[in-house]
Amino acid sequence: NAGVMQNPRHLVRRRGQEARLRCSPMKGHSHVYWYRQLPEEGLKFMVYLQKENIIDESGMPKERFSAEFPKEGPSILRIQQVVRGDSAAYFCASSPPQGAFEQYFGPGTRLTVT
Amino acid sequence: AQKITQTQPGMFVQEKEAVTLDCTYDTSDPSYGLFWYKQPSSGEMIFLIYQGSYDQQNATEGRYSLNFQKARKSANLVISASQLGDSAMYFCAMREPSTGNQFYFGTGTSLTVIP
């Protein structure tokens, strides 16, 4: 049973470009969470999604960031017009249907903005 | 107020000794979960141990145990018989259903095991 998959593992973008980060949850998991880890800090919640629904996006910056979890395919975190401050590790976690406490983390995508 | 507080930015422990990493939390939700994760230099988040708020006994997983003191709102991680491979960042986290089950993470403790 494969774990949470994230790709790419490393992504380099120039300022002003777009970054697309992908997350495939564990089999049978319908809930996806995105977290951001800035250098020397803990993970900060960004957004919580179920298939075709954004449940909680209270941690998402208001501009340039968006997330989706379509009926088919991986969840996508999209950052438009990246800036140096977006450089961070972005982690995806998935969990089973509602009621389960556990979340399983992917290996993360390290975004570097040059 | 911080949901999770880890007051030890860095800790050192001699190989084979035990070490305690501190974590306090803040919630008014009667139902919550407490977690510890290890993040080695490679960057992945490795789940170590979980404690539910209604669990009567402290959680244990191999060399890891969680010293759960509910009245004090603390959930310290104890690593026994430290190994060189235990050198990593350690994050305490909490999850509470009333806020959509997102994780709240502390700022982490960097543990270095000395040979």
Side-chain angles (χ1 to χ4, degrees):
Chain A
N1 186 15
V4 179
M5 311 284 283
Q6 287 189 250
N7 67 81
R9 295 291 306 276
H10 300 274
L11 182 61
V12 180
R13 285 286 178 266
R14 290 201 178 104
R15 279 180 296 172
Q17 291 184 320
E18 178 180 286
R20 280 184 178 238
L21 287 62
R22 293 174 184 78
C23 169
S24 297
M26 286 179 71
K27 188 176 180 181
H29 287 192
S30 54
H31 298 217
V32 164
Y33 303 76
W34 285 94
Y35 294 84
R36 177 166 66 176
Q37 184 180 29
L38 295 171
E40 310 297 324
E41 293 188 14
L43 279 69
K44 295 276 171 55
F45 167 77
M46 298 181 76
V47 62
Y48 165 33
L49 310 106
Q50 294 176 21
K51 288 278 188 183
E52 300 184 283
N53 277 313
I54 297 174
I55 306 302
D56 180 357
E57 56 182 348
S58 58
M60 286 275 272
K62 293 287 184 281
E63 297 176 351
R64 303 187 297 107
F65 285 72
S66 62
E68 63 177 9
F69 189 16
K71 188 176 179 182
E72 302 290 337
S75 175
I76 308 283
L77 179 68
R78 183 181 177 210
I79 311 171
Q80 295 178 289
Q81 298 174 328
V82 295
V83 301
R84 287 233 171 96
D86 298 333
S87 294
Y90 292 83
F91 288 90
C92 166
S94 73
S95 69
Q98 193 168 6
F101 255 144
E102 61 266 36
Q103 281 186 12
Y104 299 85
F105 281 83
T109 293
R110 271 135 195 93
L111 172 66
T112 302
V113 180
T114 61
Chain B
Q2 291 285 346
K3 288 278 189 181
I4 294 287
T5 302
Q6 293 180 256
T7 57
Q8 305 156 314
M11 290 281 285
F12 292 85
V13 64
Q14 205 74 39
E15 196 177 4
K16 299 187 177 66
E17 296 291 311
V19 62
T20 298
L21 307 184
D22 294 342
C23 173
T24 57
Y25 60 93
D26 181 30
T27 181
S28 55
D29 198 321
S31 175
Y32 52 90
L34 296 158
F35 302 78
W36 277 91
Y37 284 85
K38 174 184 177 182
Q39 187 178 44
S41 57
S42 52
E44 71 269 32
M45 296 292 286
I46 302 169
F47 166 75
L48 295 178
I49 197 166
Y50 162 76
Q51 179 85 44
S53 58
Y54 294 121
D55 293 343
Q56 295 294 319
Q57 294 190 322
N58 287 344
T60 60
E61 289 285 348
R63 293 186 300 110
Y64 305 108
S65 61
L66 200 151
N67 184 1
F68 182 44
Q69 297 188 40
K70 198 169 183 176
R72 297 178 60 184
K73 293 191 174 178
S74 76
N76 299 340
L77 177 71
V78 180
I79 306 174
S80 62
S82 297
Q83 302 171 356
L84 294 178
D86 294 335
S87 294
M89 284 290 291
Y90 288 80
F91 291 97
C92 179
M94 179 177 68
R95 202 172 170 194
E96 47 184 17
S98 62
T99 54
N101 282 314
Q102 63 172 276
F103 272 99
Y104 296 95
F105 281 86
T107 51
T109 296
S110 175
L111 177 66
T112 302
V113 180
I114 303 165

PDB file of all heavy atoms in Angstrom, chain B residues 93-109:
ATOM      1  N   ALA B  93       2.535  17.916  17.964  1.00  0.00           N
ATOM      2  CA  ALA B  93       1.391  18.425  17.209  1.00  0.00           C
ATOM      3  C   ALA B  93       0.093  18.024  17.889  1.00  0.00           C
ATOM      4  O   ALA B  93       0.036  17.030  18.616  1.00  0.00           O
ATOM      5  CB  ALA B  93       1.418  17.896  15.773  1.00  0.00           C
ATOM      6  N   MET B  94      -0.927  18.810  17.655  1.00  0.00           N
ATOM      7  CA  MET B  94      -2.245  18.532  18.226  1.00  0.00           C
ATOM      8  C   MET B  94      -3.293  18.628  17.130  1.00  0.00           C
ATOM      9  O   MET B  94      -3.167  19.429  16.193  1.00  0.00           O
ATOM     10  CB  MET B  94      -2.576  19.541  19.322  1.00  0.00           C
ATOM     11  CG  MET B  94      -3.952  19.327  19.951  1.00  0.00           C
ATOM     12  SD  MET B  94      -4.281  20.473  21.278  1.00  0.00           S
ATOM     13  CE  MET B  94      -4.413  22.011  20.384  1.00  0.00           C
ATOM     14  N   ARG B  95      -4.311  17.825  17.295  1.00  0.00           N
ATOM     15  CA  ARG B  95      -5.426  17.853  16.373  1.00  0.00           C
ATOM     16  C   ARG B  95      -6.714  17.873  17.196  1.00  0.00           C
ATOM     17  O   ARG B  95      -6.851  17.114  18.152  1.00  0.00           O
ATOM     18  CB  ARG B  95      -5.379  16.597  15.504  1.00  0.00           C
ATOM     19  CG  ARG B  95      -6.103  16.723  14.210  1.00  0.00           C
ATOM     20  CD  ARG B  95      -5.860  15.530  13.342  1.00  0.00           C
ATOM     21  NE  ARG B  95      -6.755  15.579  12.212  1.00  0.00           N
ATOM     22  CZ  ARG B  95      -6.990  14.575  11.396  1.00  0.00           C
ATOM     23  NH1 ARG B  95      -6.387  13.431  11.585  1.00  0.00           N
ATOM     24  NH2 ARG B  95      -7.807  14.711  10.391  1.00  0.00           N
ATOM     25  N   GLU B  96      -7.634  18.776  16.846  1.00  0.00           N
ATOM     26  CA  GLU B  96      -8.902  18.876  17.565  1.00  0.00           C
ATOM     27  C   GLU B  96     -10.040  18.955  16.570  1.00  0.00           C
ATOM     28  O   GLU B  96     -10.008  19.781  15.659  1.00  0.00           O
ATOM     29  CB  GLU B  96      -8.904  20.100  18.499  1.00  0.00           C
ATOM     30  CG  GLU B  96      -8.412  21.372  17.852  1.00  0.00           C
ATOM     31  CD  GLU B  96      -8.328  22.550  18.800  1.00  0.00           C
ATOM     32  OE1 GLU B  96      -8.333  22.382  20.030  1.00  0.00           O
ATOM     33  OE2 GLU B  96      -8.254  23.681  18.286  1.00  0.00           O
ATOM     34  N   PRO B  97     -11.032  18.105  16.692  1.00  0.00           N
ATOM     35  CA  PRO B  97     -12.110  18.053  15.703  1.00  0.00           C
ATOM     36  C   PRO B  97     -12.847  19.375  15.527  1.00  0.00           C
ATOM     37  O   PRO B  97     -13.332  19.671  14.441  1.00  0.00           O
ATOM     38  CB  PRO B  97     -13.048  16.981  16.264  1.00  0.00           C
ATOM     39  CG  PRO B  97     -12.186  16.146  17.138  1.00  0.00           C
ATOM     40  CD  PRO B  97     -11.175  17.089  17.716  1.00  0.00           C
ATOM     41  N   SER B  98     -12.900  20.194  16.565  1.00  0.00           N
ATOM     42  CA  SER B  98     -13.689  21.429  16.488  1.00  0.00           C
ATOM     43  C   SER B  98     -13.097  22.420  15.491  1.00  0.00           C
ATOM     44  O   SER B  98     -13.777  23.359  15.074  1.00  0.00           O
ATOM     45  CB  SER B  98     -13.801  22.088  17.861  1.00  0.00           C
ATOM     46  OG  SER B  98     -12.521  22.457  18.333  1.00  0.00           O
ATOM     47  N   THR B  99     -11.826  22.232  15.122  1.00  0.00           N
ATOM     48  CA  THR B  99     -11.210  23.142  14.146  1.00  0.00           C
ATOM     49  C   THR B  99     -10.886  22.410  12.852  1.00  0.00           C
ATOM     50  O   THR B  99      -9.932  22.753  12.158  1.00  0.00           O
ATOM     51  CB  THR B  99      -9.950  23.811  14.715  1.00  0.00           C
ATOM     52  OG1 THR B  99      -9.057  22.795  15.202  1.00  0.00           O
ATOM     53  CG2 THR B  99     -10.289  24.775  15.820  1.00  0.00           C
ATOM     54  N   GLY B 100     -11.662  21.403  12.530  1.00  0.00           N
ATOM     55  CA  GLY B 100     -11.544  20.756  11.241  1.00  0.00           C
ATOM     56  C   GLY B 100     -10.427  19.743  11.136  1.00  0.00           C
ATOM     57  O   GLY B 100     -10.070  19.326  10.057  1.00  0.00           O
ATOM     58  N   ASN B 101      -9.881  19.365  12.239  1.00  0.00           N
ATOM     59  CA  ASN B 101      -8.881  18.299  12.248  1.00  0.00           C
ATOM     60  C   ASN B 101      -7.543  18.675  11.641  1.00  0.00           C
ATOM     61  O   ASN B 101      -6.739  17.814  11.325  1.00  0.00           O
ATOM     62  CB  ASN B 101      -9.423  17.031  11.575  1.00  0.00           C
ATOM     63  CG  ASN B 101     -10.354  16.269  12.494  1.00  0.00           C
ATOM     64  OD1 ASN B 101     -10.044  16.074  13.666  1.00  0.00           O
ATOM     65  ND2 ASN B 101     -11.489  15.882  11.998  1.00  0.00           N
ATOM     66  N   GLN B 102      -7.293  19.946  11.439  1.00  0.00           N
ATOM     67  CA  GLN B 102      -5.948  20.332  11.002  1.00  0.00           C
ATOM     68  C   GLN B 102      -4.976  20.098  12.148  1.00  0.00           C
ATOM     69  O   GLN B 102      -5.343  20.098  13.310  1.00  0.00           O
ATOM     70  CB  GLN B 102      -5.939  21.815  10.624  1.00  0.00           C
ATOM     71  CG  GLN B 102      -6.256  22.745  11.792  1.00  0.00           C
ATOM     72  CD  GLN B 102      -6.056  24.201  11.446  1.00  0.00           C
ATOM     73  OE1 GLN B 102      -4.958  24.708  11.517  1.00  0.00           O
ATOM     74  NE2 GLN B 102      -7.119  24.881  11.042  1.00  0.00           N
ATOM     75  N   PHE B 103      -3.720  19.906  11.817  1.00  0.00           N
ATOM     76  CA  PHE B 103      -2.676  19.779  12.817  1.00  0.00           C
ATOM     77  C   PHE B 103      -2.141  21.155  13.190  1.00  0.00           C
ATOM     78  O   PHE B 103      -1.926  22.005  12.337  1.00  0.00           O
ATOM     79  CB  PHE B 103      -1.497  18.962  12.271  1.00  0.00           C
ATOM     80  CG  PHE B 103      -1.632  17.499  12.477  1.00  0.00           C
ATOM     81  CD1 PHE B 103      -2.086  16.689  11.454  1.00  0.00           C
ATOM     82  CD2 PHE B 103      -1.301  16.920  13.686  1.00  0.00           C
ATOM     83  CE1 PHE B 103      -2.213  15.325  11.628  1.00  0.00           C
ATOM     84  CE2 PHE B 103      -1.415  15.549  13.869  1.00  0.00           C
ATOM     85  CZ  PHE B 103      -1.869  14.752  12.837  1.00  0.00           C
ATOM     86  N   TYR B 104      -1.918  21.342  14.483  1.00  0.00           N
ATOM     87  CA  TYR B 104      -1.166  22.493  14.969  1.00  0.00           C
ATOM     88  C   TYR B 104       0.183  21.978  15.423  1.00  0.00           C
ATOM     89  O   TYR B 104       0.254  21.069  16.257  1.00  0.00           O
ATOM     90  CB  TYR B 104      -1.878  23.159  16.148  1.00  0.00           C
ATOM     91  CG  TYR B 104      -3.219  23.741  15.790  1.00  0.00           C
ATOM     92  CD1 TYR B 104      -4.389  23.019  15.995  1.00  0.00           C
ATOM     93  CD2 TYR B 104      -3.318  25.022  15.249  1.00  0.00           C
ATOM     94  CE1 TYR B 104      -5.620  23.548  15.668  1.00  0.00           C
ATOM     95  CE2 TYR B 104      -4.551  25.562  14.921  1.00  0.00           C
ATOM     96  CZ  TYR B 104      -5.699  24.823  15.133  1.00  0.00           C
ATOM     97  OH  TYR B 104      -6.921  25.356  14.802  1.00  0.00           O
ATOM     98  N   PHE B 105       1.237  22.544  14.883  1.00  0.00           N
ATOM     99  CA  PHE B 105       2.587  22.097  15.199  1.00  0.00           C
ATOM    100  C   PHE B 105       3.303  23.095  16.085  1.00  0.00           C
ATOM    101  O   PHE B 105       3.109  24.308  15.966  1.00  0.00           O
ATOM    102  CB  PHE B 105       3.404  21.922  13.913  1.00  0.00           C
ATOM    103  CG  PHE B 105       3.124  20.647  13.169  1.00  0.00           C
ATOM    104  CD1 PHE B 105       2.081  20.588  12.251  1.00  0.00           C
ATOM    105  CD2 PHE B 105       3.880  19.515  13.386  1.00  0.00           C
ATOM    106  CE1 PHE B 105       1.810  19.415  11.570  1.00  0.00           C
ATOM    107  CE2 PHE B 105       3.612  18.341  12.705  1.00  0.00           C
ATOM    108  CZ  PHE B 105       2.581  18.289  11.790  1.00  0.00           C
ATOM    109  N   GLY B 106       4.187  22.550  16.944  1.00  0.00           N
ATOM    110  CA  GLY B 106       5.098  23.403  17.668  1.00  0.00           C
ATOM    111  C   GLY B 106       6.272  23.792  16.779  1.00  0.00           C
ATOM    112  O   GLY B 106       6.354  23.375  15.615  1.00  0.00           O
ATOM    113  N   THR B 107       7.169  24.564  17.345  1.00  0.00           N
ATOM    114  CA  THR B 107       8.318  25.053  16.581  1.00  0.00           C
ATOM    115  C   THR B 107       9.459  24.053  16.526  1.00  0.00           C
ATOM    116  O   THR B 107      10.433  24.266  15.809  1.00  0.00           O
ATOM    117  CB  THR B 107       8.841  26.369  17.170  1.00  0.00           C
ATOM    118  OG1 THR B 107       9.026  26.181  18.579  1.00  0.00           O
ATOM    119  CG2 THR B 107       7.857  27.504  16.941  1.00  0.00           C
ATOM    120  N   GLY B 108       9.332  22.968  17.281  1.00  0.00           N
ATOM    121  CA  GLY B 108      10.293  21.886  17.171  1.00  0.00           C
ATOM    122  C   GLY B 108      11.441  21.972  18.159  1.00  0.00           C
ATOM    123  O   GLY B 108      11.768  23.041  18.690  1.00  0.00           O
ATOM    124  N   THR B 109      12.035  20.823  18.408  1.00  0.00           N
ATOM    125  CA  THR B 109      13.247  20.697  19.224  1.00  0.00           C
ATOM    126  C   THR B 109      14.274  19.929  18.421  1.00  0.00           C
ATOM    127  O   THR B 109      13.977  18.845  17.905  1.00  0.00           O
ATOM    128  CB  THR B 109      12.962  19.942  20.536  1.00  0.00           C
ATOM    129  OG1 THR B 109      12.055  20.707  21.326  1.00  0.00           O
ATOM    130  CG2 THR B 109      14.246  19.703  21.319  1.00  0.00           C
TER     131      THR B 109
END
